[in-house]
Amino acid sequence: LTKGFLFQEKPARLPGFHTSVGGGGDRQNEEWYAEKGVKVTLGQRVTEADFEKQTVTTSDGTVVPYSKLVVATGCTALRMPSSIGGDLPGVHYVRNNKDALGLYDAMKAAKKCV
């Protein structure tokens, strides 16, 4: 997302599955996944996986069969410690659209980017 958002004139070199709004790819909403036969389940933890039977069990007890499984664990922006400048002005962390817009604006005004 970050590369596609920040470098709109040169879309990120990622497979179409990973591109998103700003990268020139399709917006990956519920309809996009449904059209491609992908079932997305949000807000549930997988508590058990049976790789031989190709099933996972979610936190509400639902057993879900699969033919292909993608485990998307999410992520959090890694923050540098204050002791090495992680909280200095001009240090940006991108986790959402607001963060990306702030970084985009800062890049336009910056004299030097590291």
Side-chain angles (χ1 to χ4, degrees):
L1 172 63
T2 309
K3 290 178 185 81
F5 184 91
L6 295 175
F7 303 108
Q8 296 176 24
E9 63 281 354
K10 293 183 180 178
R13 295 180 186 171
L14 301 171
F17 185 81
H18 296 286
T19 59
S20 185
V21 174
D26 296 333
R27 183 178 185 107
Q28 296 169 343
N29 53 25
E30 290 180 38
E31 294 80 22
W32 185 92
Y33 286 103
E35 288 170 3
K36 285 146 181 65
V38 176
K39 179 182 178 191
V40 177
T41 302
L42 303 173
Q44 289 290 321
R45 290 184 180 268
V46 171
T47 57
E48 184 178 326
D50 187 327
F51 299 114
E52 287 183 20
K53 292 182 181 177
Q54 290 189 301
T55 62
V56 293
T57 303
T58 63
S59 54
D60 68 358
T62 303
V63 176
V64 181
Y66 65 87
S67 57
K68 293 182 181 177
L69 176 66
V70 175
V71 178
T73 60
C75 67
T76 301
L78 183 62
R79 296 188 178 270
M80 297 187 308
S82 299
S83 61
I84 61 169
D87 59 355
L88 291 174
V91 174
H92 296 269
Y93 301 96
V94 178
R95 183 66 183 135
N96 56 40
N97 195 54
K98 180 181 176 188
D99 294 343
L101 288 169
L103 178 56
Y104 183 78
D105 290 342
M107 287 173 62
K108 288 192 297 188
K111 291 182 172 48
K112 180 179 179 183
C113 293
V114 180

